[in-house]
Amino acid sequence: LYSVDISRSANQVYNVLKEAINKVTQYIFWESKREFFQKTFELDTTNTSDVGINIYRLVAHEFSQTGKVDTSAKKTIFGQIYHQLGDNYPDFFKTEMDNKSFDVKFIGEGAVDGGGVFRETIAQLCEELQSHVLPLFIKTPNNKNNVGNYREKWTINPAATSHLHLKFFEFLGGLMGQAIRSRNYLELSLPNLFWKLLKGQEPNSQDLEEVDRLQMKHLDDLVAMDQKGIDNFDWVSITEEKFVAILSDGSEKEIKQGGREIHLSFSNRKEYAELVIKTRIHEAQLQINHIRKGFLRVVPECILEMVNHEELERMVCGLSLIHISEPTRQAEISYAVFCLKKKKQHSPNTVSVQIQIN
């Protein structure tokens, strides 16, 4: 049992309680958590009336065919919603559980939003986020190079740092929060590294390997040079690298002050590897901070503290039905009953995975 000295400052008491919750949350049954979430949302609801959003799908589709990037997000479905809701999005996203945040009208189409139009809009929005039309996400190096596990994943674009782009990330955090509240899930394929950072948990080298296997293999080989009989005398002919890291978008970043002038050597190779891992893990920390900011404007922080990164992903993205191309994903998913079925119409390397959430 934890004891708290209430004579300490409010911030100190909060940190003690936060640490205690993080340590025991894994022992709390999911049904108990879900009941707590529902009651919390009922007490924190501001959306009392439906708001209508006009979507020009034809405009979004025609733009997607141009091959251009909608840097100002005025053509895409994501951008159309963003510009109509503005910075007041929490007023619309803070719904009771299972309620959609807004009504959608497809301009030029006859669809009536009984829920299906809203879900289709969210699905198309997710497709935009994981494509060339928006600048927020890019394919992970594993995805681009078709190596390692988790080859289907996308990651934050480290170059998306403009004021407008950071506002987009904040809005995306709000959308993630509404996905939890409404249970209209976002079909986003993001790595464990992302969910750990959003949760506030420090990722490790294994998480980075799930994003960039070639980078981690290179670092592992550097650290193990002495085990291969290579010493300082042999080093000169092996590498001419400096203390810079190649980020997911291919840009370079110094991993140490003056890193472009520091040569990688046999003696400093372990420091180099540690700094590259740290830099790569946090290459999009600025964007993560803005996503978290938007998320917490819609979902109380106590809920984020009560879940682990896997549960957080499940709450945002859902796990109703996924298709996994072996061996791109080898991960354990908790709170699920698996039914693996080989289907004749699928390729020999594809497994259909139906997941029943308990």
Side-chain angles (χ1 to χ4, degrees), residues 39-54:
K39 291 180 178 179
T40 301
F41 291 148
E42 290 174 355
L43 296 173
D44 186 46
T45 298
T46 60
N47 186 345
T48 57
S49 61
D50 293 332
V51 60
I53 296 292
N54 295 326

PDB file of all heavy atoms in Angstrom, residues 39-54:
ATOM      1  N   LYS A  39     -17.946   6.460 -16.464  1.00  0.00           N
ATOM      2  CA  LYS A  39     -18.447   7.400 -15.457  1.00  0.00           C
ATOM      3  C   LYS A  39     -17.700   8.735 -15.542  1.00  0.00           C
ATOM      4  O   LYS A  39     -18.289   9.802 -15.360  1.00  0.00           O
ATOM      5  CB  LYS A  39     -18.290   6.793 -14.058  1.00  0.00           C
ATOM      6  CG  LYS A  39     -19.222   5.613 -13.808  1.00  0.00           C
ATOM      7  CD  LYS A  39     -19.034   5.045 -12.407  1.00  0.00           C
ATOM      8  CE  LYS A  39     -20.005   3.887 -12.155  1.00  0.00           C
ATOM      9  NZ  LYS A  39     -19.814   3.296 -10.809  1.00  0.00           N
ATOM     10  N   THR A  40     -16.405   8.659 -15.834  1.00  0.00           N
ATOM     11  CA  THR A  40     -15.612   9.882 -15.963  1.00  0.00           C
ATOM     12  C   THR A  40     -16.093  10.719 -17.135  1.00  0.00           C
ATOM     13  O   THR A  40     -16.225  11.944 -17.034  1.00  0.00           O
ATOM     14  CB  THR A  40     -14.126   9.537 -16.149  1.00  0.00           C
ATOM     15  OG1 THR A  40     -13.669   8.778 -15.021  1.00  0.00           O
ATOM     16  CG2 THR A  40     -13.282  10.796 -16.267  1.00  0.00           C
ATOM     17  N   PHE A  41     -16.371  10.065 -18.263  1.00  0.00           N
ATOM     18  CA  PHE A  41     -16.846  10.790 -19.446  1.00  0.00           C
ATOM     19  C   PHE A  41     -18.207  11.426 -19.198  1.00  0.00           C
ATOM     20  O   PHE A  41     -18.488  12.526 -19.681  1.00  0.00           O
ATOM     21  CB  PHE A  41     -16.908   9.862 -20.653  1.00  0.00           C
ATOM     22  CG  PHE A  41     -15.558   9.432 -21.163  1.00  0.00           C
ATOM     23  CD1 PHE A  41     -15.385   8.175 -21.741  1.00  0.00           C
ATOM     24  CD2 PHE A  41     -14.466  10.267 -21.067  1.00  0.00           C
ATOM     25  CE1 PHE A  41     -14.149   7.777 -22.221  1.00  0.00           C
ATOM     26  CE2 PHE A  41     -13.219   9.871 -21.534  1.00  0.00           C
ATOM     27  CZ  PHE A  41     -13.060   8.631 -22.114  1.00  0.00           C
ATOM     28  N   GLU A  42     -19.061  10.735 -18.441  1.00  0.00           N
ATOM     29  CA  GLU A  42     -20.382  11.284 -18.142  1.00  0.00           C
ATOM     30  C   GLU A  42     -20.277  12.577 -17.357  1.00  0.00           C
ATOM     31  O   GLU A  42     -21.105  13.487 -17.507  1.00  0.00           O
ATOM     32  CB  GLU A  42     -21.205  10.253 -17.367  1.00  0.00           C
ATOM     33  CG  GLU A  42     -21.635   9.053 -18.206  1.00  0.00           C
ATOM     34  CD  GLU A  42     -22.321   7.979 -17.376  1.00  0.00           C
ATOM     35  OE1 GLU A  42     -22.368   8.142 -16.136  1.00  0.00           O
ATOM     36  OE2 GLU A  42     -22.796   6.988 -17.956  1.00  0.00           O
ATOM     37  N   LEU A  43     -19.257  12.681 -16.504  1.00  0.00           N
ATOM     38  CA  LEU A  43     -19.051  13.878 -15.683  1.00  0.00           C
ATOM     39  C   LEU A  43     -18.285  14.964 -16.431  1.00  0.00           C
ATOM     40  O   LEU A  43     -18.156  16.076 -15.928  1.00  0.00           O
ATOM     41  CB  LEU A  43     -18.297  13.510 -14.399  1.00  0.00           C
ATOM     42  CG  LEU A  43     -19.020  12.558 -13.436  1.00  0.00           C
ATOM     43  CD1 LEU A  43     -18.077  12.146 -12.299  1.00  0.00           C
ATOM     44  CD2 LEU A  43     -20.276  13.217 -12.871  1.00  0.00           C
ATOM     45  N   ASP A  44     -17.775  14.619 -17.611  1.00  0.00           N
ATOM     46  CA  ASP A  44     -16.909  15.550 -18.350  1.00  0.00           C
ATOM     47  C   ASP A  44     -17.406  15.713 -19.778  1.00  0.00           C
ATOM     48  O   ASP A  44     -16.651  15.668 -20.727  1.00  0.00           O
ATOM     49  CB  ASP A  44     -15.465  15.017 -18.332  1.00  0.00           C
ATOM     50  CG  ASP A  44     -14.479  15.996 -18.955  1.00  0.00           C
ATOM     51  OD1 ASP A  44     -14.553  17.195 -18.628  1.00  0.00           O
ATOM     52  OD2 ASP A  44     -13.652  15.558 -19.778  1.00  0.00           O
ATOM     53  N   THR A  45     -18.705  15.874 -19.924  1.00  0.00           N
ATOM     54  CA  THR A  45     -19.318  15.991 -21.250  1.00  0.00           C
ATOM     55  C   THR A  45     -19.737  17.431 -21.512  1.00  0.00           C
ATOM     56  O   THR A  45     -20.385  18.058 -20.676  1.00  0.00           O
ATOM     57  CB  THR A  45     -20.542  15.066 -21.357  1.00  0.00           C
ATOM     58  OG1 THR A  45     -20.115  13.707 -21.191  1.00  0.00           O
ATOM     59  CG2 THR A  45     -21.201  15.218 -22.718  1.00  0.00           C
ATOM     60  N   THR A  46     -19.345  17.953 -22.673  1.00  0.00           N
ATOM     61  CA  THR A  46     -19.732  19.324 -23.049  1.00  0.00           C
ATOM     62  C   THR A  46     -20.552  19.354 -24.324  1.00  0.00           C
ATOM     63  O   THR A  46     -21.208  20.349 -24.609  1.00  0.00           O
ATOM     64  CB  THR A  46     -18.487  20.213 -23.240  1.00  0.00           C
ATOM     65  OG1 THR A  46     -17.662  19.656 -24.275  1.00  0.00           O
ATOM     66  CG2 THR A  46     -17.687  20.327 -21.957  1.00  0.00           C
ATOM     67  N   ASN A  47     -20.512  18.284 -25.128  1.00  0.00           N
ATOM     68  CA  ASN A  47     -21.237  18.259 -26.398  1.00  0.00           C
ATOM     69  C   ASN A  47     -22.692  17.904 -26.132  1.00  0.00           C
ATOM     70  O   ASN A  47     -23.037  16.753 -25.906  1.00  0.00           O
ATOM     71  CB  ASN A  47     -20.608  17.240 -27.344  1.00  0.00           C
ATOM     72  CG  ASN A  47     -21.246  17.275 -28.729  1.00  0.00           C
ATOM     73  OD1 ASN A  47     -22.302  17.837 -28.928  1.00  0.00           O
ATOM     74  ND2 ASN A  47     -20.579  16.665 -29.689  1.00  0.00           N
ATOM     75  N   THR A  48     -23.557  18.907 -26.135  1.00  0.00           N
ATOM     76  CA  THR A  48     -24.975  18.679 -25.856  1.00  0.00           C
ATOM     77  C   THR A  48     -25.853  18.846 -27.093  1.00  0.00           C
ATOM     78  O   THR A  48     -27.039  18.600 -27.058  1.00  0.00           O
ATOM     79  CB  THR A  48     -25.460  19.657 -24.770  1.00  0.00           C
ATOM     80  OG1 THR A  48     -25.216  20.996 -25.205  1.00  0.00           O
ATOM     81  CG2 THR A  48     -24.712  19.410 -23.457  1.00  0.00           C
ATOM     82  N   SER A  49     -25.271  19.290 -28.179  1.00  0.00           N
ATOM     83  CA  SER A  49     -26.054  19.469 -29.417  1.00  0.00           C
ATOM     84  C   SER A  49     -25.225  19.039 -30.616  1.00  0.00           C
ATOM     85  O   SER A  49     -23.998  19.129 -30.590  1.00  0.00           O
ATOM     86  CB  SER A  49     -26.483  20.929 -29.578  1.00  0.00           C
ATOM     87  OG  SER A  49     -25.357  21.771 -29.666  1.00  0.00           O
ATOM     88  N   ASP A  50     -25.897  18.578 -31.632  1.00  0.00           N
ATOM     89  CA  ASP A  50     -25.206  18.128 -32.834  1.00  0.00           C
ATOM     90  C   ASP A  50     -24.723  19.318 -33.656  1.00  0.00           C
ATOM     91  O   ASP A  50     -25.419  20.330 -33.782  1.00  0.00           O
ATOM     92  CB  ASP A  50     -26.126  17.260 -33.689  1.00  0.00           C
ATOM     93  CG  ASP A  50     -26.469  15.948 -33.008  1.00  0.00           C
ATOM     94  OD1 ASP A  50     -25.640  15.478 -32.209  1.00  0.00           O
ATOM     95  OD2 ASP A  50     -27.557  15.418 -33.269  1.00  0.00           O
ATOM     96  N   VAL A  51     -23.542  19.193 -34.214  1.00  0.00           N
ATOM     97  CA  VAL A  51     -23.023  20.211 -35.117  1.00  0.00           C
ATOM     98  C   VAL A  51     -22.855  19.568 -36.477  1.00  0.00           C
ATOM     99  O   VAL A  51     -22.502  18.387 -36.581  1.00  0.00           O
ATOM    100  CB  VAL A  51     -21.677  20.780 -34.599  1.00  0.00           C
ATOM    101  CG1 VAL A  51     -20.628  19.691 -34.487  1.00  0.00           C
ATOM    102  CG2 VAL A  51     -21.181  21.906 -35.498  1.00  0.00           C
ATOM    103  N   GLY A  52     -23.126  20.321 -37.526  1.00  0.00           N
ATOM    104  CA  GLY A  52     -23.026  19.770 -38.865  1.00  0.00           C
ATOM    105  C   GLY A  52     -21.727  20.172 -39.543  1.00  0.00           C
ATOM    106  O   GLY A  52     -21.302  21.324 -39.474  1.00  0.00           O
ATOM    107  N   ILE A  53     -21.080  19.205 -40.177  1.00  0.00           N
ATOM    108  CA  ILE A  53     -19.842  19.439 -40.919  1.00  0.00           C
ATOM    109  C   ILE A  53     -20.111  19.133 -42.387  1.00  0.00           C
ATOM    110  O   ILE A  53     -20.612  18.056 -42.728  1.00  0.00           O
ATOM    111  CB  ILE A  53     -18.694  18.543 -40.408  1.00  0.00           C
ATOM    112  CG1 ILE A  53     -18.361  18.885 -38.961  1.00  0.00           C
ATOM    113  CG2 ILE A  53     -17.469  18.687 -41.293  1.00  0.00           C
ATOM    114  CD1 ILE A  53     -17.752  20.248 -38.769  1.00  0.00           C
ATOM    115  N   ASN A  54     -19.788  20.081 -43.264  1.00  0.00           N
ATOM    116  CA  ASN A  54     -19.942  19.875 -44.698  1.00  0.00           C
ATOM    117  C   ASN A  54     -18.637  19.357 -45.287  1.00  0.00           C
ATOM    118  O   ASN A  54     -17.590  19.985 -45.113  1.00  0.00           O
ATOM    119  CB  ASN A  54     -20.340  21.183 -45.379  1.00  0.00           C
ATOM    120  CG  ASN A  54     -21.712  21.669 -44.949  1.00  0.00           C
ATOM    121  OD1 ASN A  54     -22.604  20.867 -44.689  1.00  0.00           O
ATOM    122  ND2 ASN A  54     -21.878  22.979 -44.868  1.00  0.00           N
TER     123      ASN A  54
END
